[in-house]
Amino acid sequence: MLRRKVVATEKAPGAIGPYSQGNIVGDFLFASGQLGIDPATGELVKGIEAQTEQALKNVKAIVEAAGATMDKVIKTTCFLDDMNDFAAMNAVYAKFFTEGSYPSRSAVEVGKLPKGGLVEVEVIAYLG
């Protein structure tokens, strides 16, 4: 039987569909992809840098709600509306992780993101 604990925080935008912000299974947090939505307004912030920063702030809020810190993130997936934004996204992304213990990462260009977002970030974190 799958034992999981749903993670939810008001410090990140609420789900815009039938999913949880995150699920803890065993010693792992699986966080749903986060867009650059300001949880206070429910609106996307403007520009790739601002959206990346907000998406990662949202991720951080979920990670912290699970009782962890960003240094416990072991895998990220970054979805970009346009791969030409990779360098700008990467520069902001680097501010959220510690050199020497960067998580594994995939970054892909997708056809379209929800709400017209420019970037979405999902993570897996180890909680043990």
Side-chain angles (χ1 to χ4, degrees):
M1 180 166 135
L2 176 66
R3 293 180 186 247
R4 74 170 147 197
K5 177 182 175 188
V6 173
V7 176
T9 178
E10 293 181 4
K11 293 180 180 178
I16 57 175
Y19 61 89
S20 300
Q21 288 175 329
N23 283 281
I24 296 172
V25 179
D27 287 336
F28 294 92
L29 166 68
F30 298 86
S32 293
Q34 295 298 303
L35 297 166
I37 295 174
D38 181 337
T41 65
E43 299 296 323
L44 280 169
V45 296
K46 303 291 184 214
I48 185 63
E49 291 91 351
Q51 284 192 27
T52 302
E53 182 161 350
Q54 187 62 59
L56 285 162
K57 284 180 180 178
N58 296 340
V59 163
K60 183 178 180 193
I62 295 167
V63 168
E64 289 176 349
T69 57
M70 292 294 276
D71 66 331
K72 297 289 189 174
V73 173
I74 58 172
K75 172 70 170 91
T76 66
T77 305
C78 300
F79 303 96
L80 293 162
D81 180 63
D82 184 346
M83 194 55 79
N84 290 317
D85 289 335
F86 179 82
M89 178 278 298
N90 202 49
V92 175
Y93 175 97
K95 297 176 188 177
F96 284 82
F97 299 101
T98 304
E99 188 171 347
S101 61
Y102 291 140
S104 300
R105 181 178 78 186
S106 301
V108 296
E109 179 179 288
V110 295
K112 193 172 190 179
L113 290 168
K115 294 190 158 252
L118 301 175
V119 62
E120 181 174 2
V121 181
E122 68 178 25
V123 305
I124 299 170
Y126 178 67
L127 306 176

